[in-house]
Coordinates of all heavy atoms in Angstrom, one line a residue:
G66 N 0.5 -3.0 13.8 CA 0.2 -4.4 14.3 C -1.3 -4.5 14.7 O -1.9 -5.5 14.4
Q67 N -1.8 -3.4 15.3 CA -3.2 -3.5 15.7 C -4.2 -3.6 14.6 O -5.1 -4.5 14.6 CB -3.5 -2.2 16.5 CG -5.0 -2.1 17.0 CD -5.3 -0.7 17.6 OE1 -4.4 -0.1 18.2 NE2 -6.5 -0.3 17.6
I68 N -4.1 -2.7 13.5 CA -5.1 -2.7 12.5 C -4.9 -3.9 11.5 O -5.8 -4.2 10.8 CB -5.0 -1.4 11.7 CG1 -3.7 -1.3 10.9 CG2 -5.3 -0.2 12.6 CD1 -3.7 -0.1 9.9
T69 N -3.8 -4.6 11.5 CA -3.6 -5.7 10.6 C -3.7 -7.1 11.4 O -3.5 -8.1 10.8 CB -2.2 -5.7 10.0 OG1 -1.2 -5.6 11.0 CG2 -2.1 -4.5 9.0
D70 N -3.9 -7.0 12.7 CA -4.1 -8.1 13.6 C -2.8 -9.0 13.5 O -2.9 -10.2 13.5 CB -5.3 -8.9 13.2 CG -5.7 -10.0 14.3 OD1 -5.4 -9.7 15.5 OD2 -6.3 -11.0 13.9
T71 N -1.7 -8.4 13.6 CA -0.4 -9.1 13.6 C 0.4 -8.4 14.7 O 0.0 -7.5 15.4 CB 0.4 -9.0 12.3 OG1 0.5 -7.6 12.0 CG2 -0.4 -9.6 11.2
K72 N 1.7 -8.9 14.9 CA 2.5 -8.3 15.9 C 3.3 -7.1 15.4 O 3.8 -7.1 14.3 CB 3.5 -9.4 16.4 CG 2.9 -10.6 17.1 CD 4.0 -11.5 17.6 CE 3.4 -12.7 18.4 NZ 4.4 -13.6 18.9
A73 N 3.3 -6.1 16.3 CA 4.0 -4.9 15.9 C 5.5 -5.2 15.6 O 6.1 -4.5 14.7 CB 3.9 -3.9 17.1
D74 N 6.1 -6.1 16.2 CA 7.5 -6.5 16.0 C 7.8 -6.9 14.6 O 8.9 -6.9 14.1 CB 7.9 -7.7 16.9 CG 8.3 -7.2 18.3 OD1 8.2 -6.0 18.6 OD2 8.6 -8.0 19.1
N75 N 6.7 -7.2 13.8 CA 6.9 -7.7 12.4 C 7.0 -6.5 11.4 O 7.1 -6.8 10.2 CB 5.8 -8.7 12.0 CG 5.9 -10.0 12.9 OD1 7.0 -10.3 13.4 ND2 4.8 -10.7 13.0
F76 N 6.8 -5.3 11.9 CA 6.8 -4.2 11.0 C 8.0 -3.3 11.1 O 8.5 -3.0 12.1 CB 5.6 -3.3 11.2 CG 4.3 -3.9 10.7 CD1 3.4 -4.6 11.5 CD2 4.0 -3.6 9.3 CE1 2.3 -5.2 10.9 CE2 2.8 -4.2 8.8 CZ 2.0 -5.0 9.6
A77 N 8.5 -2.9 9.9 CA 9.6 -2.0 9.8 C 9.1 -0.7 9.1 O 8.2 -0.8 8.3 CB 10.8 -2.6 9.0
L78 N 9.7 0.4 9.4 CA 9.3 1.7 8.9 C 10.1 2.0 7.7 O 11.3 2.0 7.7 CB 9.4 2.8 9.9 CG 8.6 2.5 11.3 CD1 8.7 3.7 12.2 CD2 7.2 2.1 11.0
M79 N 9.5 2.4 6.6 CA 10.1 2.5 5.3 C 9.8 3.9 4.7 O 8.8 4.5 5.1 CB 9.6 1.5 4.3 CG 9.8 0.0 4.7 SD 11.4 -0.6 4.2 CE 12.1 -0.9 5.9
P80 N 10.6 4.4 3.8 CA 10.2 5.6 3.1 C 9.4 5.4 1.8 O 8.8 6.3 1.3 CB 11.6 6.2 2.7 CG 12.4 5.0 2.5 CD 12.0 4.0 3.5
S81 N 9.3 4.1 1.4 CA 8.6 3.9 0.1 C 8.4 2.4 0.0 O 9.0 1.6 0.7 CB 9.4 4.4 -1.1 OG 10.6 3.7 -1.2
A82 N 7.5 2.0 -0.9 CA 7.3 0.6 -1.2 C 8.5 0.0 -1.9 O 8.9 -1.2 -1.6 CB 6.1 0.4 -2.1
S83 N 9.2 0.8 -2.7 CA 10.4 0.2 -3.4 C 11.5 -0.1 -2.5 O 12.3 -1.0 -2.6 CB 10.9 1.3 -4.5 OG 11.2 2.5 -3.9
Y84 N 11.6 0.7 -1.4 CA 12.6 0.4 -0.3 C 12.3 -0.9 0.3 O 13.2 -1.7 0.6 CB 12.6 1.6 0.7 CG 13.8 1.6 1.6 CD1 14.8 2.5 1.5 CD2 13.9 0.7 2.7 CE1 15.9 2.6 2.3 CE2 14.9 0.8 3.6 CZ 16.0 1.7 3.4 OH 17.0 1.7 4.3
G85 N 11.0 -1.1 0.6 CA 10.6 -2.4 1.2 C 10.8 -3.5 0.3 O 11.3 -4.6 0.7
L86 N 10.6 -3.4 -1.0 CA 10.8 -4.5 -1.9 C 12.3 -4.7 -2.1 O 12.7 -5.9 -2.2 CB 10.2 -4.1 -3.3 CG 8.7 -4.1 -3.4 CD1 8.2 -3.5 -4.7 CD2 8.2 -5.5 -3.3
A87 N 13.1 -3.7 -2.0 CA 14.6 -3.9 -2.1 C 15.1 -4.6 -0.8 O 16.0 -5.5 -0.9 CB 15.3 -2.5 -2.2
T88 N 14.5 -4.4 0.3 CA 14.8 -5.1 1.5 C 14.5 -6.6 1.4 O 15.3 -7.4 1.7 CB 14.0 -4.5 2.7 OG1 14.4 -3.1 2.9 CG2 14.4 -5.2 4.0
A89 N 13.3 -6.8 0.8 CA 12.9 -8.2 0.6 C 13.8 -8.9 -0.4 O 14.2 -10.1 -0.2 CB 11.4 -8.3 0.1
A90 N 14.2 -8.2 -1.4 CA 15.1 -8.8 -2.5 C 16.4 -9.1 -1.9 O 17.0 -10.1 -2.2 CB 15.2 -7.8 -3.6
Q91 N 16.9 -8.2 -1.0 CA 18.3 -8.5 -0.4 C 18.2 -9.8 0.4 O 19.2 -10.6 0.4 CB 18.7 -7.3 0.4 CG 20.1 -7.6 1.1 CD 20.8 -6.3 1.5 OE1 21.3 -5.6 0.6 NE2 20.8 -6.0 2.7
A92 N 17.1 -10.0 1.1 CA 17.0 -11.2 1.9 C 16.8 -12.5 1.1 O 17.3 -13.5 1.5 CB 15.8 -11.0 2.9
L93 N 16.1 -12.4 0.0 CA 15.7 -13.5 -0.7 C 16.6 -13.9 -1.9 O 16.7 -15.1 -2.3 CB 14.3 -13.3 -1.3 CG 13.1 -13.2 -0.3 CD1 11.8 -12.9 -1.0 CD2 13.0 -14.5 0.5
S94 N 17.4 -13.0 -2.3 CA 18.3 -13.2 -3.5 C 19.3 -14.4 -3.2 O 19.5 -15.2 -4.2 CB 19.1 -12.0 -3.8 OG 18.3 -11.0 -4.4
P95 N 19.8 -14.5 -2.1 CA 20.7 -15.7 -1.9 C 20.1 -17.0 -2.0 O 20.8 -18.1 -2.1 CB 21.3 -15.5 -0.4 CG 21.1 -14.0 -0.2 CD 19.8 -13.6 -0.9
H96 N 18.7 -17.1 -2.0 CA 18.0 -18.3 -2.1 C 17.5 -18.6 -3.5 O 16.7 -19.6 -3.7 CB 16.8 -18.3 -1.1 CG 17.2 -18.1 0.3 ND1 17.6 -19.1 1.2 CD2 17.4 -16.9 1.0 CE1 17.9 -18.6 2.4 NE2 17.8 -17.3 2.3
L97 N 17.9 -17.8 -4.4 CA 17.5 -18.0 -5.8 C 18.7 -18.4 -6.7 O 19.8 -17.9 -6.4 CB 16.9 -16.7 -6.4 CG 15.6 -16.2 -5.7 CD1 15.2 -14.8 -6.2 CD2 14.5 -17.2 -5.9
K98 N 18.5 -19.1 -7.7 CA 19.5 -19.6 -8.6 C 19.0 -19.8 -10.0 O 17.8 -19.8 -10.2 CB 20.1 -20.9 -8.0 CG 19.1 -22.1 -8.0 CD 19.6 -23.3 -7.3 CE 18.7 -24.5 -7.4 NZ 17.3 -24.2 -6.9
P99 N 19.9 -20.1 -11.0 CA 19.4 -20.4 -12.3 C 18.5 -21.6 -12.3 O 18.7 -22.6 -11.6 CB 20.7 -20.7 -13.1 CG 21.8 -19.9 -12.3 CD 21.4 -20.0 -10.9
G100 N 17.4 -21.4 -13.1 CA 16.4 -22.5 -13.1 C 15.2 -22.1 -12.3 O 14.1 -22.7 -12.5
D101 N 15.4 -21.3 -11.3 CA 14.2 -20.8 -10.5 C 13.4 -19.7 -11.3 O 14.0 -19.0 -12.2 CB 14.7 -20.2 -9.2 CG 15.3 -21.2 -8.3 OD1 14.9 -22.4 -8.4 OD2 16.1 -20.8 -7.4
E102 N 12.1 -19.6 -11.0 CA 11.3 -18.6 -11.6 C 10.7 -17.7 -10.6 O 10.3 -18.1 -9.5 CB 10.1 -19.3 -12.4 CG 10.6 -20.1 -13.6 CD 9.5 -20.7 -14.4 OE1 8.3 -20.8 -13.8 OE2 9.7 -21.2 -15.5
I103 N 10.7 -16.4 -11.0 CA 10.1 -15.3 -10.2 C 8.8 -15.0 -10.9 O 8.8 -14.5 -12.1 CB 11.0 -14.1 -10.1 CG1 12.3 -14.5 -9.5 CG2 10.3 -13.0 -9.3 CD1 13.4 -13.4 -9.6
L104 N 7.7 -15.2 -10.3 CA 6.4 -15.1 -10.9 C 5.7 -13.7 -10.6 O 5.6 -13.3 -9.4 CB 5.4 -16.2 -10.5 CG 4.1 -16.3 -11.2 CD1 4.4 -16.8 -12.6 CD2 3.2 -17.3 -10.5
M105 N 5.4 -13.0 -11.6 CA 4.7 -11.7 -11.5 C 3.5 -11.6 -12.5 O 3.5 -12.4 -13.5 CB 5.6 -10.5 -11.8 CG 6.7 -10.3 -10.7 SD 7.7 -8.9 -11.0 CE 8.8 -9.5 -12.4
I106 N 2.6 -10.7 -12.4 CA 1.6 -10.5 -13.3 C 1.9 -9.5 -14.3 O 2.8 -8.6 -14.1 CB 0.2 -10.1 -12.6 CG1 0.3 -8.8 -11.9 CG2 -0.2 -11.3 -11.7 CD1 -1.0 -8.3 -11.3
A107 N 1.3 -9.5 -15.5 CA 1.5 -8.5 -16.5 C 1.1 -7.1 -16.1 O 0.2 -7.0 -15.3 CB 0.7 -8.9 -17.8
E108 N 1.9 -6.2 -16.5 CA 1.6 -4.8 -16.2 C 1.7 -4.6 -14.7 O 0.9 -3.8 -14.1 CB 0.3 -4.2 -16.8 CG 0.3 -4.2 -18.3 CD -1.0 -3.7 -18.9 OE1 -2.0 -3.6 -18.2 OE2 -0.9 -3.3 -20.1
T109 N 2.5 -5.3 -14.0 CA 2.7 -5.1 -12.6 C 3.3 -3.7 -12.4 O 3.9 -3.1 -13.3 CB 3.6 -6.2 -12.0 OG1 3.5 -6.1 -10.5 CG2 5.1 -6.0 -12.3
F110 N 3.2 -3.2 -11.2 CA 3.7 -1.8 -11.0 C 5.3 -1.8 -11.2 O 6.0 -2.7 -10.9 CB 3.4 -1.3 -9.6 CG 3.6 0.2 -9.4 CD1 2.6 1.0 -10.0 CD2 4.7 0.7 -8.8 CE1 2.8 2.4 -9.8 CE2 4.8 2.1 -8.7 CZ 3.9 2.9 -9.2
P111 N 5.8 -0.7 -11.8 CA 7.2 -0.7 -12.2 C 8.2 -1.0 -11.0 O 9.2 -1.7 -11.3 CB 7.4 0.8 -12.7 CG 6.1 1.2 -13.2 CD 5.1 0.5 -12.3
S112 N 7.9 -0.5 -9.8 CA 8.8 -0.8 -8.7 C 9.0 -2.3 -8.5 O 10.1 -2.7 -8.1 CB 8.3 -0.1 -7.4 OG 8.5 1.3 -7.6
T113 N 7.9 -3.0 -8.6 CA 8.0 -4.5 -8.4 C 8.8 -5.1 -9.5 O 9.7 -5.9 -9.3 CB 6.6 -5.1 -8.4 OG1 5.8 -4.5 -7.3 CG2 6.6 -6.6 -8.3
Y114 N 8.4 -4.8 -10.8 CA 9.1 -5.4 -11.9 C 10.6 -5.1 -11.9 O 11.5 -5.9 -12.0 CB 8.5 -4.9 -13.2 CG 9.4 -5.3 -14.4 CD1 9.3 -6.6 -14.9 CD2 10.2 -4.4 -15.1 CE1 10.0 -7.1 -16.0 CE2 11.0 -4.9 -16.1 CZ 10.9 -6.2 -16.6 OH 11.7 -6.6 -17.6
L115 N 11.0 -3.8 -11.7 CA 12.4 -3.4 -11.7 C 13.2 -4.0 -10.6 O 14.4 -4.4 -10.8 CB 12.5 -1.9 -11.7 CG 11.9 -1.2 -12.9 CD1 11.9 0.3 -12.6 CD2 12.7 -1.5 -14.1
T116 N 12.6 -4.2 -9.4 CA 13.3 -4.9 -8.3 C 13.7 -6.3 -8.7 O 14.8 -6.7 -8.5 CB 12.4 -4.9 -7.1 OG1 12.1 -3.6 -6.6 CG2 13.0 -5.7 -5.9
W117 N 12.7 -7.1 -9.2 CA 13.0 -8.5 -9.5 C 13.8 -8.6 -10.8 O 14.4 -9.7 -11.0 CB 11.7 -9.3 -9.5 CG 11.1 -9.2 -8.2 CD1 9.9 -8.6 -7.9 CD2 11.6 -9.6 -6.9 NE1 9.6 -8.7 -6.5 CE2 10.6 -9.3 -5.9 CE3 12.8 -10.3 -6.5 CZ2 10.8 -9.6 -4.5 CZ3 13.0 -10.6 -5.2 CH2 12.0 -10.2 -4.2

Side-chain angles (χ1 to χ4, degrees):
Q67 176 186 335
I68 66 170
T69 57
D70 195 26
T71 57
K72 291 184 177 180
D74 279 1
N75 295 338
F76 281 95
L78 306 186
M79 301 276 115
S81 63
S83 58
Y84 193 106
L86 290 168
T88 302
Q91 177 156 289
L93 296 173
S94 290
H96 301 273
L97 298 173
K98 63 184 186 305
D101 291 336
E102 290 181 348
I103 301 169
L104 190 69
M105 293 183 284
I106 61 174
E108 297 182 341
T109 195
F110 195 75
S112 292
T113 299
Y114 172 77
L115 294 171
T116 296
W117 300 115

